Amino acid sequence: DTGVSQNPRHKITKRGQNVTFRCDPISEHNRLYWYRQTLGQGPEFLTYFQNEAQLEKSRLLSDRFSAERPKGSFSTLEIQRTEQGDSAMYLCASTAGAEAFFGQGTRLTVV
Amino acid sequence: DAKTTQPTSMDCAEGRAANLPCNHSTISGNEYVYWYRQIHSQGPQYIIHGLKNNETNEMASLIITEDRKSSTLILPHATLRDTAVYYCIVRALGGSQGNLIFGKGTKLSVKP
């Protein structure tokens, strides 16, 4: 499978715990995006990388959230001290041009 | 905020054409119109995009009005598998403006 891969697909965590998600983009795609989607809403932009540089962050990305893309390949999104409001689907997308390809997402449930 | 407005939901009979409208009256000259769809529990899937000319691919056709303030996505022969939420997005290519701003989209239900 050469599409965007996200792991894990599902994560259940207790409030206050830290979680980390991984995104493997399509090989040689230089741009990578993270989105968050809650029930009934469209995906909301969180942050964007061009190669290893994080070029833009949404105000939705509080200081409990951090994203990295070492060496411009895979990316990780970490949420520290999770809250129930963090429960959502976290989507990753990559692109090298006009068309963005999305992964299947990681569904986070904070209990 | 999303720069587009779409109907909340639409129905279409299987085998008929589905015409999904989108208004983007504040679109800028360097912004493209993009369409994505999201089938339940999956990530969004790219369908088509255009600047000012009509576009067609194996999935759909995109008709953009001459003033570029609205567009229509056409699925020529809708099937049950086309049931999804369809998002119309305007975006500029390149640079930090490249992220996609999703609205709530149109929930298309294709019925037998």
Side-chain angles (χ1 to χ4, degrees):
Chain A
D1 185 15
T2 58
V4 177
S5 176
Q6 291 189 246
N7 289 287
R9 291 292 311 278
H10 303 273
K11 177 71 176 179
I12 300 174
T13 191
K14 292 184 179 179
R15 190 172 46 187
Q17 297 294 304
N18 299 343
V19 294
T20 300
F21 310 139
R22 177 177 170 126
C23 171
D24 286 275
I26 293 173
S27 176
E28 298 179 357
H29 276 191
N30 60 345
R31 296 184 183 183
L32 186 147
Y33 302 83
W34 284 99
Y35 289 80
R36 180 176 71 185
Q37 186 173 26
T38 53
L39 199 61
Q41 304 295 317
E44 297 173 290
F45 169 73
L46 291 179
T47 190
Y48 151 59
F49 290 85
Q50 181 154 322
N51 299 313
E52 66 273 14
Q54 189 173 17
L55 295 186
E56 193 168 348
K57 290 193 285 188
S58 162
R59 61 180 180 273
L60 294 174
L61 212 65
S62 76
D63 55 7
R64 296 185 298 105
F65 287 69
S66 62
E68 294 182 341
R69 193 184 182 198
K71 303 178 184 177
S73 56
F74 70 93
S75 176
T76 58
L77 178 69
E78 181 183 15
I79 309 174
Q80 296 183 326
R81 304 181 304 280
T82 52
E83 303 172 354
Q84 284 190 319
D86 297 330
S87 294
M89 174 78 84
Y90 290 84
L91 293 160
C92 174
S94 71
T95 181
E99 178 181 346
F101 294 83
F102 283 80
Q104 298 280 56
T106 294
R107 181 167 296 284
L108 173 67
T109 302
V110 181
V111 297
Chain B
D1 292 343
K3 297 183 180 181
T4 62
T5 55
Q6 300 176 250
T8 302
S9 63
M10 292 182 65
D11 290 340
C12 178
E14 188 179 18
R16 304 298 289 269
N19 296 281
L20 292 91
C22 179
N23 287 318
H24 32 79
S25 58
T26 62
I27 192 170
S28 301
N30 67 337
E31 288 181 319
Y32 289 69
V33 180
Y34 276 74
W35 283 85
Y36 279 77
R37 74 179 183 184
Q38 189 172 24
I39 295 170
H40 183 62
S41 296
Q42 297 184 21
Q45 176 191 21
Y46 167 83
I47 301 173
I48 199 167
H49 75 284
L51 184 61
K52 49 185 173 181
N53 296 324
N54 298 338
E55 302 287 344
T56 296
N57 63 20
E58 65 278 4
M59 288 183 70
S61 295
L62 173 60
I63 308 298
I64 303 174
T65 58
E66 195 168 337
D67 64 6
R68 303 210 322 125
K69 293 185 176 182
S70 65
S71 61
T72 301
L73 178 75
I74 301 172
L75 307 179
H77 305 287
T79 70
L80 298 178
R81 288 178 294 180
D82 292 321
T83 292
V85 178
Y86 288 76
Y87 296 100
C88 170
I89 301 163
V90 296
R91 61 166 282 197
L93 278 182
S96 62
Q97 299 176 25
N99 71 70
L100 299 163
I101 307 295
F102 289 81
K104 292 189 177 183
T106 296
K107 183 171 183 176
L108 175 70
S109 298
V110 181
K111 300 182 184 299

